[in-house]
Amino acid sequence: MNRLCVTSRRIPSTIKQTSIKFNPCSIIAVPTRKIHTASSLRRVPIPAKSFSTRTYTTDSNNPTEEIEYEEKTHIRNLAIIAHVDVGKTTLVDCLLKQTNTNTSKLESGKVFSMDSLSLEQERGITIMSKLTTVSYQDHTLNIVDTPGHADFGGEVERIMGMVDGCCLLVDATEGPMTQTKFVLSKALERGLKPVVVINKVDRETARVSEVENEIFELFINMGATDEQMEYPVIYASARQGWAVSGLADEKANMNPLFEAMLNHIPHPRVVKNAPFAMLVSSLDYDRHLGRILTGKIYTGDIKVGDKIRALSREGVPVEEGKVSHLMERIGVERVQVKQADAGQIISIAGLSKAGVTDTITLPKLTEAIPAKPLDPPIMSINFLVNDSPLAGKDGKAISSSQLKARLSKEVESNVALTVHPSENGDAYEVRGRGEMQMAILIENMRREGMEFQCSPPRVLFKENEQGQQMEPIEEVTIDVDNKYGNMTIDLLCMKRGAEMLEYKVHNEKARLVFTCPTRSLIGFGSEYRTKTHGDGIFNHAFLRYELHRGKLESQRKGMIISLAGGVATAYALRDIEARGVLFIGPQTPIYEGMIIGEHSRDADCEVNPARAKHLTNMRASGSEEAIRLELPKQIPLEEALAYIEEDELVEVTPKYMRIRKKVLSSSERKLIQRKQK
């Protein structure tokens, strides 16, 4: 059993029989490690308690009060953290199957039960953190599946206060990557005890011993404590459904991983007879129940019908209400319960304004649970009302008020985003972590029937104490065939202001590590995959702010811009095609100022794609020949955002995505250019 050294709060002797604000996080607890065996852990019955504000009685002879604790040995709260595409969701699905927990919704393994969002299933990545609960040997394991992409790091940060330990998943071939360092640093800062799982050890390319050494070095570099360094290592193949504590052991099921979780992840240790307090870590909506708040109960207990209050991070009251529904997880489904106790992760319905990082507590309490602030955003995009000539033809929600309401709703659940309205109210600056995070938000809004426009991503700079400009720097890790190594160095170091930290070669595969300005990585991923014919694997994560590295050279050619509105014709596009690469095909609706292609030269080119062939009474030789055009280039949303420049916008509708100039009129653009000169 874990032993904790407790420092009680000292109360001034002048206070006599006075109620004190209760802060469950004011107790300093330092765990000392002692290994549990599965047989020594048993389920503890939870008695019902009454709700009251705790009163401390002190005098000069008794300055402190003894605090009693309760051990919740039957509960484990943990997060699965890893780099992208390591197999987190596959592992959680395997745990659900082997414990026979709500696997009826799995379609023969084709759709992951945890990846419930349509975009997650389409892209094969985890976007939102999700909670699931499994039972193993009379123990309850609350497991949170977290995203692996760096742009969704806010999802990882916000759930760290909800768990007591973590399961670090590492690929047996790739080893620790950039995002591995990020998620592990957040876990170690919170004092979480890890269990290391090396996944995909069944592959021929697995290098288990080397990866183990790399993980050990990573823990040392991250400043792990002695306790955190005593992590167990489990070898697994989530796809095949087995885990072992030794490579020579029998590969039968996931039981060794379950045992490691029970033995090494601490169980909740809560203050007895303390008032109810819960920190909200996630937010969801239900058409019948309304707003659903999910989080960990730090102290006390709660039941349906109790009166509660929501406090902001600063302790300001948000609202008061009553618990209408109380739910816990069984597998991936919510099940209603009548009562919940400290140490559990539960969902509450009954409040309409409370959000993520708010504290849910009793009406008499006034002190919030401290919520650690998230890392600041490093990039912003302006969302504007669609004012193009084709506005309103596809979408239902096109007004500024509808755009504001949708972005405000997103910020409530996605704590890594912030929204700042412009002075005139027709644009909203959304700040976040990266291109993919912004692209996911835009795609969700588009599918909901909204129309709007987006500016190019803009990096957020800072100033240091000396007034010097600072910019965000990211750590870039690239895995590619060694033959592309020199080209990679040239692309990043010579053209994008990067500095190389590492170059390792293993079996004709090279791993290159750089530090690079965030602004130079916008749009780099798609360009690099094209240059390496799909062989290059590009990953990046925010590292720190550094002094500005100077101006970077332009990476883009000129644009082909429409001079007229109407519908594009094959007759006109046949002649325009020779000037560059087209983004549109025949019969595409167009308007003046719309960008229809990329010019082969650096300067912009203005054309008339709506020009039609004049009809005459004469027939010429060859006039009946069919016009053959190359297929237009399709630009994905993330690439379009990175592709445009400061004087351009991306127009987004439920059916179309168009690129346009901010100023549509050709004569007005030329006038602006003359004034700038």
Side-chain angles (χ1 to χ4, degrees), residues 60-331:
S60 57
N61 298 324
N62 184 21
T64 60
E65 180 182 352
E66 192 70 25
I67 299 177
E68 297 182 5
Y69 293 91
E70 183 177 353
E71 310 292 340
K72 301 287 186 176
T73 57
H74 66 291
I75 298 176
R76 298 294 185 277
N77 300 320
L78 67 144
I80 308 290
I81 58 175
H83 188 79
V84 65
D85 199 27
V86 177
K88 299 182 302 299
T89 306
T90 307
L91 179 69
V92 176
D93 281 338
C94 184
L95 297 178
L96 287 170
K97 289 179 182 179
Q98 294 199 12
T99 54
N100 297 318
T101 309
N102 288 346
T103 57
S104 59
K105 292 188 177 182
L106 287 173
E107 299 177 3
S108 302
K110 295 181 181 179
V111 178
F112 292 126
S113 60
M114 298 299 292
D115 284 344
S116 55
L117 302 179
S118 58
L119 280 175
E120 291 179 325
Q121 296 172 6
E122 292 173 14
R123 295 171 177 258
I125 60 173
T126 301
I127 297 173
M128 298 291 291
S129 296
K130 299 176 189 66
L131 171 67
T132 185
T133 301
V134 300
S135 296
Y136 178 78
Q137 293 184 357
D138 296 329
H139 292 78
T140 299
L141 284 80
N142 296 312
I143 303 174
V144 184
D145 182 23
T146 62
H149 198 281
D151 285 11
F152 308 109
E155 290 291 311
V156 180
E157 292 179 74
R158 70 178 173 85
I159 60 92
M160 287 299 178
M162 193 167 61
V163 297
D164 305 302
C166 64
C167 182
L168 179 67
L169 207 61
V170 181
D171 191 291
T173 300
E174 296 177 348
M177 301 288 282
T178 52
Q179 184 66 0
T180 311
K181 299 177 183 179
F182 171 79
V183 295
L184 180 61
S185 66
K186 296 300 178 183
L188 297 179
E189 286 175 9
R190 288 279 186 171
L192 303 184
K193 297 183 67 175
V195 171
V196 174
V197 179
I198 301 179
N199 194 27
K200 305 180 183 180
V201 296
D202 55 317
R203 290 187 173 182
E204 294 181 359
T205 56
R207 47 188 191 93
V208 178
S209 298
E210 295 178 25
V211 169
E212 276 196 70
N213 293 334
E214 292 173 4
I215 295 172
F216 184 78
E217 293 176 1
L218 177 61
F219 270 77
I220 294 176
N221 295 334
M222 292 289 103
T225 64
D226 292 342
E227 281 189 279
Q228 291 170 331
M229 290 295 296
E230 296 178 9
Y231 56 84
V233 179
I234 302 296
Y235 311 95
S237 172
R239 185 173 294 275
Q240 294 186 6
W242 54 262
V244 293
S245 54
L247 291 175
D249 297 348
E250 181 183 1
K251 302 173 178 61
N253 48 43
M254 303 298 290
N255 287 354
L257 178 56
F258 281 118
E259 295 293 336
M261 291 177 177
L262 295 180
N263 295 341
H264 296 274
I265 302 294
H267 60 266
R269 190 170 192 255
V270 300
V271 180
K272 293 183 67 175
N273 302 321
F276 169 75
M278 182 188 97
L279 180 65
V280 180
S281 297
S282 66
L283 176 66
D284 199 3
Y285 293 90
D286 184 272
R287 63 174 64 182
H288 303 294
L289 305 180
R291 182 172 297 214
I292 299 176
L293 307 167
T294 301
K296 175 185 174 182
I297 302 179
Y298 277 71
T299 57
D301 53 9
I302 191 72
K303 62 180 182 292
V304 175
D306 285 338
K307 293 182 178 180
I308 52 176
R309 166 190 278 186
L311 302 174
S312 68
R313 186 188 303 174
E314 295 77 20
V316 178
V318 177
E319 64 172 325
E320 292 190 8
K322 184 181 295 186
V323 179
S324 60
H325 294 82
L326 199 61
M327 295 156 284
E328 65 179 8
R329 289 277 185 174
I330 296 182

Side-chain angles (χ1 to χ4, degrees), residues 478-539:
I478 291 178
D479 291 291
V480 70
D481 291 341
N482 192 34
K483 61 181 180 181
Y484 295 116
N486 291 334
M487 181 200 69
T488 302
I489 295 173
D490 181 64
L491 279 175
L492 286 171
C493 295
M494 303 300 293
K495 298 181 179 180
R496 298 179 182 269
E499 297 178 359
M500 189 171 68
L501 302 179
E502 184 179 296
Y503 191 154
K504 290 183 179 179
V505 180
H506 179 77
N507 293 337
E508 298 184 356
K509 286 284 186 180
R511 170 167 291 183
L512 298 91
V513 181
F514 303 86
T515 60
C516 189
T518 300
R519 57 192 168 99
S520 66
L521 295 177
I522 298 175
F524 176 74
S526 58
E527 176 189 350
Y528 188 69
R529 285 190 294 270
T530 301
K531 290 184 178 294
T532 58
H533 306 285
D535 291 334
I537 301 175
F538 163 70
N539 295 288

Side-chain angles (χ1 to χ4, degrees), residues 359-377:
T359 298
I360 309 300
T361 184
L362 300 181
K364 295 182 179 180
L365 298 182
T366 59
E367 189 168 347
I369 299 174
K372 189 173 182 180
L374 305 181
D375 287 345

Side-chain angles (χ1 to χ4, degrees), residues 442-460:
I442 294 170
E443 181 65 22
N444 283 329
M445 294 172 64
R446 183 187 70 83
R447 295 187 181 192
E448 294 169 8
M450 299 196 68
E451 273 193 27
F452 51 94
Q453 299 178 127
C454 297
S455 70
R458 182 176 62 89
V459 171
L460 300 176

Side-chain angles (χ1 to χ4, degrees), residues 632-648:
K633 180 181 179 181
Q634 301 293 330
I635 303 182
L637 181 58
E638 300 100 299
E639 295 183 23
L641 292 173
Y643 187 77
I644 60 175
E645 294 186 343
E646 287 298 324
D647 63 336
E648 297 164 355

